C-alpha cells in the first residue's frame, strides 16, 4: 500500500489532470457532495457547478513542495505549490480531503496566486 504522502499526491494530481478536468463526470467522482472552493480569481465554486456540460481548460500542472497534514482520523489537509505550465502562473494550493464510504473525496480547495521563484523553502 502506498504511503499517505503518495496517496494524496496522486489524488491531487487526479483533480488537476486534463483527463479528469475535461469531464464533469470524472471531476464529480473526485469531489465530495459538499465540495466548495475559493478560486484564485476570488470566485466560489460548489459541487453543483460540475454537473453541467461544461469543462475546464486542459492546462498542464506541476506540483512541488507537497505536504500532507492530518486533521483527524478521516480528514487531511494537503498543501503545495503548483505551476501551470500552460500559462506560466503559480499558485499556493490547499485541499481538505475527507474519507467517505466510497473513498477519499475532495471537500475544499483554495488556490492563491504567487510568484514561484519567491517561495521560501
Amino acid at each position: 500500500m502506498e504511503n499517505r504522502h503518495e496517496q494524496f499526491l496522486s489524488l491531487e494530481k487526479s483533480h488537476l489532470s486534463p483527463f479528469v478536468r475535461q469531464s464533469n463526470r470524472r471531476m464529480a467522482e473526485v469531489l465530495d457532495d459538499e465540495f466548495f472552493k475559493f478560486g484564485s480569481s476570488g470566485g466560489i465554486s460548489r459541487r453543483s457547478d460540475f454537473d453541467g456540460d461544461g469543462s475546464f481548460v486542459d492546462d498542464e500542472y506541476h506540483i512541488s513542495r507537497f505536504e500532507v497534514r492530518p486533521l483527524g482520523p478521516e480528514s487531511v489537509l494537503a498543501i503545495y505549490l503548483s505551476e501551470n505550465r500552460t500559462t506560466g502562473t503559480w499558485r499556493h494550493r490547499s485541499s481538505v480531503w475527507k474519507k467517505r464510504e466510497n473513498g477519499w473525496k475532495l471537500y475544499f480547495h483554495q488556490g492563491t496566486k504567487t510568484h514561484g521563484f519567491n517561495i521560501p523553502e
Side-chain angles (χ1 to χ4, degrees):
M1 178 157 175
E2 57 188 343
N3 66 36
R4 183 175 293 260
H5 182 272
E6 291 303 317
Q7 177 185 14
F8 287 99
L9 178 57
S10 178
L11 286 168
E12 286 294 335
K13 287 179 178 180
S14 74
H15 84 89
L16 293 176
S17 78
F19 176 74
V20 172
R21 293 176 70 85
Q22 290 174 356
S23 165
N24 287 338
R25 181 188 56 76
R26 287 188 293 263
M27 196 66 174
E29 290 172 0
V30 175
L31 304 178
D32 189 74
D33 289 343
E34 298 176 24
F35 171 79
F36 67 105
K37 82 170 193 169
F38 298 144
S40 58
S41 66
I44 299 173
S45 299
R46 301 201 182 282
R47 168 65 180 79
S48 59
D49 296 326
F50 302 93
D51 291 340
D53 293 331
S55 63
F56 284 101
V57 295
D58 58 351
D59 293 352
E60 178 188 350
Y61 292 92
H62 175 74
I63 294 175
S64 59
R65 300 189 185 166
F66 186 80
E67 295 180 34
V68 178
R69 298 182 183 181
L71 296 174
E74 297 188 349
S75 61
V76 300
L77 171 67
I79 55 175
Y80 57 98
L81 182 65
S82 73
E83 175 191 5
N84 182 322
R85 292 192 166 165
T86 306
T87 64
T89 57
W90 294 81
R91 304 277 188 277
H92 284 292
R93 293 188 182 260
S94 60
S95 298
V96 174
W97 292 86
K98 288 191 168 192
K99 189 173 185 179
R100 301 298 193 197
E101 285 183 14
N102 55 348
W104 288 94
K105 299 294 181 181
L106 183 57
Y107 176 79
F108 171 78
H109 185 75
Q110 180 170 358
T112 304
K113 291 180 184 178
T114 189
H115 301 286
F117 53 89
N118 269 341
I119 308 304
E121 290 292 328

